[in-house]
Amino acid sequence: DGGITQSPKYLFRKEGQNVTLSCEQNLNHDAMYWYRQDPGQGLRLIYYSQIVNDFQKGDIAEGYSVSREKKESFPLTVTSAQKNPTAFYLCASSPQGASEQFFGPGTRLTVL
Amino acid sequence: GQSLEQPSEVTAVEGAIVQINCTYQTSGFYGLSWYQQHDGGAPTFLSYNALDGLEETGRFSSFLSRSDSYGYLLLQELQMKDSASYFCAVDSNSGYALNFGKGTSLLVTP
């Protein structure tokens, strides 16, 4: 089955530690995205990538980093510089120029 | 800046019709999307309007007026499973990054 996977579903980390969230897709989509969702809030864009080896900052990129070495993979690192990292993180992908984005199941990160 | 406004909560009775409005102010505009998200789940795409008018997909319809910077999602024959959050999102960069509203929590009651 084609789709987007994110792992793990729940993640706990101590304050001050970097953590990398996984996002993999086998839909052959060119574009991939990372969003952050806080309780009762919409989705805010962290980073997006339109093509391998290229990515752009979204609205809230500070304290995050990404890489796009393969078309299928777009990992997100939450660094210790991110002041409020506890949130629900959603990865999405879409064909280039398409109006529909396909979302993964999300990773709920809790920093203690 | 860019902003999208939609009601935070709506309650409706099973079998009824409900309309969720969305107004937006963005620097660019290519289209308005709607997504549904159940608690703890992933958002799923419902519809996309690039041109003025009504788009119908089964029980769901979406409307856009570009001149009024306004759109709405219309849900008919409401079912209990329609209880979820609904987000409008503006595509301001030709099919790439979306700007989402804060979402409308829809509660369908018996």
Side-chain angles (χ1 to χ4, degrees):
Chain A
D1 285 332
I4 303 178
T5 58
Q6 293 184 244
S7 60
K9 189 167 180 64
Y10 298 95
L11 190 56
F12 297 87
R13 280 294 182 269
K14 291 183 179 180
E15 192 173 347
Q17 291 181 333
N18 292 355
V19 60
T20 297
L21 310 185
S22 165
C23 178
E24 303 279 333
Q25 55 99 359
N26 61 3
L27 299 168
N28 199 33
H29 288 168
D30 290 308
M32 296 187 74
Y33 315 82
W34 273 106
Y35 293 92
R36 168 183 173 139
Q37 187 175 31
D38 294 284
Q41 299 295 312
L43 283 67
R44 292 186 290 167
L45 182 68
I46 305 173
Y47 269 97
Y48 67 102
S49 168
Q50 300 172 6
I51 197 169
V52 174
N53 292 322
D54 187 45
F55 47 83
Q56 287 77 41
K57 292 182 179 180
D59 299 321
I60 55 166
E62 185 176 351
Y64 299 97
S65 66
V66 293
S67 63
R68 187 86 186 278
E69 297 177 1
K70 299 186 301 181
K71 188 175 186 178
E72 302 79 18
S73 179
F74 191 39
L76 173 75
T77 297
V78 185
T79 75
S80 56
Q82 169 50 233
K83 295 179 181 178
N84 294 300
T86 294
F88 188 44
Y89 290 88
L90 287 157
C91 178
S93 71
S94 71
Q96 196 171 61
S99 57
E100 178 179 356
Q101 292 187 8
F102 297 78
F103 284 83
T107 292
R108 193 168 298 279
L109 173 65
T110 302
V111 176
L112 307 171
Chain B
Q2 307 195 65
S3 69
L4 290 88
E5 297 290 333
Q6 50 181 129
S8 59
E9 293 180 351
V10 173
T11 301
V13 178
E14 193 175 12
I17 300 172
V18 71
Q19 179 175 313
I20 299 173
N21 299 320
C22 175
T23 57
Y24 59 87
Q25 289 185 327
T26 58
S27 55
F29 183 85
Y30 285 88
L32 183 71
S33 299
W34 289 91
Y35 285 79
Q36 178 192 61
Q37 184 183 33
H38 286 97
D39 271 351
T44 56
F45 174 83
L46 293 176
S47 67
Y48 178 77
N49 294 67
L51 303 175
D52 286 359
L54 191 68
E55 295 279 345
E56 297 181 71
T57 309
R59 295 188 297 115
F60 294 1
S61 302
S62 57
F63 172 83
L64 176 66
S65 169
R66 295 175 68 125
S67 59
D68 295 323
S69 297
Y70 164 75
Y72 66 71
L73 180 68
L74 190 73
L75 297 83
Q76 303 182 72
E77 301 173 14
L78 281 172
Q79 302 176 8
M80 300 297 288
K81 67 178 181 179
D82 296 330
S83 292
S85 292
Y86 293 84
F87 296 88
C88 59
V90 166
D91 167 10
S92 58
N93 192 23
S94 186
Y96 290 115
L98 297 175
N99 292 295
F100 282 83
K102 292 187 176 181
T104 298
S105 178
L106 171 64
L107 176 64
V108 180
T109 61

